[in-house]
Amino acid sequence: MSETKKVNSCTIFKQDCDCFNVLTKEQMQIVEDNQVIVEYEKDEIFARQGAFASHIIVIEEGLAKVTYEDGHNNLVLRISTPGSFIGLSSISDQNRLFGYTAKAYIKTKVKLIDIGIFISLIKENSLFGLELLRVMSEISHQKNARFFGLMHRQSYGKLADLLLCMSVNIFKEKAFILPLTRKQIGELAGMSTESVIRTFKNFQEDKLISIEGKKITILDMEGLVKVFETG
Amino acid sequence: MSETKKVNSCTIFKQDCDCFNVLTKEQMQIVEDNQVIVEYEKDEIFARQGAFASHIIVIEEGLAKVTYEDGHNNLVLRISTPGSFIGLSSISDQNRLFGYTAKAYIKTKVKLIDIGIFISLIKENSLFGLELLRVMSEISHQKNARFFGLMHRQSYGKLADLLLCMSVNIFKEKAFILPLTRKQIGELAGMSTESVIRTFKNFQEDKLISIEGKKITILDMEGLVKVFETG
DNA sequence: CGCGAGCTTGACGTTGTTCAACTAGAGTGG
DNA sequence: CCACTCTAGTTGAACAACGTCAAGCTCGCG
């Protein structure tokens, strides 16, 4: 009853959308004629909060983090994996500014689509707009779940959540190489670097996971789920 | 530099949208022929997370809270004031379920629009869809700012934020009657009832505000802003 | 008049941050 | 090839902010 779903609350999800499928052949051609593929290196910023959003960005390959900042602190809104959009929410900003910053965790290839063209496609093809509404809605749900987790869970639960999400949603393996530093993991889970380390240590002592450098192996999936649910 | 904007981070904002203005006279007529006005009493729930969203809801009068729940805990996503939509994100959910719960803080009048009709309007009129994208985008920005605040501020800052937002965005007065219990204020600001009380007490001792029952008067706006910025 | 919800206060415990020190490994340049 | 440095990771100790608990209080209402 109280458990509506077993969804985990991370916002690191693969969001494949059919948006472009609803375009006509001609419209698709317009997109293809006006898109640019760019590759960014690790740690490069390819969308900066407050800057003019001249393009809609679609991640092709790689991994990026999307953060909201204010100079002192920053909050990771989500992780973007191939297929996800960056800058959708700028479509409607009257100034067309990015509402957040996107930075490559690893070498990341993105597709840039001119925002003017993108908007004209929305105006021409209402189904395209509807699909985009679907995407934004999905992002919104994910964000709600993510923030719910960040607010109401404590470190054990948050970190278990993150590991489960990485394993289940991103890598689809029980063992995976996490290309993030402890610090980055910390900001993702909303906790300090030290707490991440200590919690990892406890997880290892409890035989839930094993860690060798950046390689994390989930030894006891059920146990970790239990921590996620109760922590 | 580091202060990009002076925006306060609450998600209790008035979100008036021109969505319906882009409809043709005929389309507007369809909306009007298919809308129902309903009034809910204080504490009544008019949208329940996980339930079928048969209608899009527009707040006409009153004040409501939108929460994300999981049985044990709940997280206030935003406060809805007249003009705001509830259920927009269900448009695109394939099951058309509400992603959150909406509950009236006070007597609240809402307009219900059949979701099927709403969607057909989006399909017919791409400008309508674009406007809705604009709204969702706005909600998204507000949510980012809100959670940024909830995550990175401590109780003083969060409560100062809330009071400023109430005063500036909702009531547009330095003195206003907050129709919420301490507990409700607490869940809004992400803190315990007791912490709300203690913080209020401190604010009064510092001559920032005065409180008589539910009536709150901001005595020192600048001081409160300072607390908001530094706390 | 008495009940109960909301409010207030104090004491206490705990989580998790912060700080500081130390280690390990990866580059770098003489 | 060996200091030298820099980053990332690790550990311990101290501390602070908050939540929790428990107890009284107050006020509105039946």
Side-chain angles (χ1 to χ4, degrees), chain B residues 120-152:
Chain B
S120 65
L121 286 176
I122 297 172
K123 288 182 182 164
E124 279 173 27
N125 188 332
S126 63
L127 291 182
F128 187 52
L130 187 55
E131 282 303 308
L132 294 175
L133 274 172
R134 218 178 59 74
V135 172
M136 289 197 66
S137 163
E138 183 60 29
I139 292 175
S140 169
H141 281 137
Q142 294 279 348
K143 199 185 286 178
N144 293 345
R146 169 164 168 78
F147 288 120
F148 180 89
L150 288 185
M151 290 295 292
H152 287 299

Side-chain angles (χ1 to χ4, degrees), chain B residues 45-221:
Chain B
I45 289 176
F46 56 92
R48 193 180 295 273
Q49 183 176 335
F52 181 64
S54 54
H55 297 82
I56 294 292
I57 302 169
V58 185
I59 309 281
E60 296 286 298
E61 286 174 20
L63 197 64
K65 80 168 169 189
V66 178
T67 59
Y68 183 90
E69 322 173 294
D70 87 333
H72 304 286
N73 295 104
N74 75 314
L75 177 67
V76 179
L77 298 177
R78 60 179 185 271
I79 286 198
S80 285
T81 52
S84 49
F85 285 92
I86 307 268
L88 261 196
S89 62
S90 313
I91 289 178
S92 9
D93 185 76
Q94 46 183 334
N95 303 321
R96 288 193 196 163
L97 305 182
F98 281 116
Y100 36 71
T101 295
K103 184 172 179 178
Y105 270 136
I106 54 177
K107 182 181 277 218
T108 296
K109 192 153 85 176
V110 307
K111 183 160 71 181
L112 302 177
I113 305 171
D114 182 88
I115 198 168
I117 289 173
F118 203 83
I119 291 176
S120 65
L121 286 176
I122 297 172
K123 288 182 182 164
E124 279 173 27
N125 188 332
S126 63
L127 291 182
F128 187 52
L130 187 55
E131 282 303 308
L132 294 175
L133 274 172
R134 218 178 59 74
V135 172
M136 289 197 66
S137 163
E138 183 60 29
I139 292 175
S140 169
H141 281 137
Q142 294 279 348
K143 199 185 286 178
N144 293 345
R146 169 164 168 78
F147 288 120
F148 180 89
L150 288 185
M151 290 295 292
H152 287 299
R153 259 181 249 289
Q154 47 202 50
S155 53
Y156 291 79
K158 291 195 284 191
L159 212 48
D161 186 3
L162 187 69
L163 292 177
L164 288 170
C165 178
M166 285 291 175
S167 172
V168 176
N169 296 2
I170 310 257
F171 298 103
K172 306 192 192 295
E173 293 285 346
K174 288 201 168 188
F176 51 89
I177 290 166
L178 234 200
L180 306 181
T181 64
R182 303 286 185 247
K183 182 151 171 282
Q184 289 171 326
I185 295 172
E187 60 183 22
L188 247 180
M191 52 202 276
S192 71
T193 310
E194 293 91 333
S195 291
V196 172
I197 291 164
R198 286 186 241 269
T199 309
F200 271 164
K201 199 180 172 189
N202 286 328
F203 282 175
Q204 289 186 86
E205 283 169 2
D206 296 348
K207 308 283 181 208
L208 295 173
I209 62 173
S210 77
I211 301 185
E212 309 153 51
K214 301 259 177 236
K215 183 175 175 188
I216 296 177
T217 309
I218 295 181
L219 301 175
D220 180 359
M221 188 64 87

Side-chain angles (χ1 to χ4, degrees), chain A residues 46-57 66-68 77-78 86-102 115-116 119 136, chain B residues 4-5 7 133-134 137-138 140-142 144:
Chain A
F46 57 93
R48 194 179 295 273
Q49 184 176 334
F52 181 65
S54 53
H55 297 82
I56 295 292
I57 302 170
V66 178
T67 58
Y68 184 91
L77 299 177
R78 60 178 185 272
I86 307 268
L88 263 197
S89 62
S90 314
I91 289 179
S92 9
D93 184 76
Q94 47 182 333
N95 303 321
R96 289 193 194 160
L97 304 182
F98 282 115
Y100 36 72
T101 294
I115 200 168
I119 291 175
M136 287 197 67
Chain B
T4 15
K5 303 180 212 171
V7 202
L133 274 172
R134 218 178 59 74
S137 163
E138 183 60 29
S140 169
H141 281 137
Q142 294 279 348
N144 293 345

